[in-house]
Amino acid sequence: MRGDGDGWVIDPDGSRYWGRHGAAGLLLRAPLADGATAILLQHRAVWSHQGGTWGLPGGARDSHESAIDTAVREAHEEAGVGGDDLHVVAALVTHQAPSGWTYTTVIAEVDEPVRTVANFESAELRWVPENDVAQLPLHPAFGNAWPGLRDRINALDPQS
């Protein structure tokens, strides 16, 4: 079974969320030559929900998938990033709606910025230094989650 997650969940206040079983996205990190770390971001196609903003490759979770499986599948579909290229280090629910709908951000790492291939859901894919992420017009939910995600990333990368 595949594809049974496509569809909207609508909360009593009218808020809409894509993914009948929730959704997940991949926060993929890679070291840069200058010692900084970059995040793979997706500039969402203008026709999409919250189009024109920057966020993570991700999407609807199918009923038989874990959040990690969803995030890896969506990153492959939307950015051409293969599961063999990455190492998952954490998964966090970064949004929960009153309806019970959740969005899980899966943090993963690669040894270097990998080549990406954008599909029709992306206006652009870009490796963005972590310190520059907040300067972009972020998808509202990703923008709200970013400070907590940075805290989690800092816990993964303890300063010596």
Side-chain angles (χ1 to χ4, degrees):
M1 177 187 296
R2 170 140 164 29
D4 69 343
D6 288 348
W8 293 100
V9 171
I10 302 173
D11 272 354
D13 69 356
S15 297
R16 298 179 338 149
Y17 302 97
W18 183 252
R20 294 178 48 225
H21 308 288
L26 190 72
L27 192 160
L28 189 58
R29 304 175 68 223
L32 297 174
D34 66 2
T37 302
I39 304 289
L40 178 61
L41 292 182
Q42 175 191 48
H43 193 193
R44 299 167 61 84
V46 293
W47 59 264
S48 68
H49 185 59
Q50 302 291 341
T53 61
W54 290 86
L56 304 175
R61 184 174 171 180
D62 291 333
S63 63
H64 65 282
E65 288 182 308
S66 70
I68 292 171
D69 291 341
T70 300
V72 170
R73 174 182 53 79
E74 287 284 339
H76 185 268
E77 291 174 5
E78 295 179 3
V81 176
D84 293 339
D85 296 334
L86 55 92
H87 170 69
V88 173
V89 295
L92 305 120
V93 173
T94 50
H95 186 81
Q96 183 162 358
S99 62
W101 182 94
T102 60
Y103 185 92
T104 302
T105 301
V106 175
I107 301 172
E109 298 174 341
V110 288
D111 294 334
E112 61 186 5
V114 295
R115 183 177 164 271
T116 61
V117 179
N119 77 355
F120 67 97
E121 296 180 52
S122 305
E124 178 185 357
L125 295 166
R126 184 187 305 169
W127 286 99
V128 177
E130 278 183 12
N131 291 334
D132 297 343
V133 168
Q135 297 172 20
L136 295 170
L138 300 178
H139 181 283
F142 179 57
N144 288 337
W146 181 239
L149 289 166
R150 285 298 305 262
D151 289 345
R152 184 64 173 102
I153 288 167
N154 288 336
L156 293 170
D157 297 336
Q159 302 299 313
S160 37

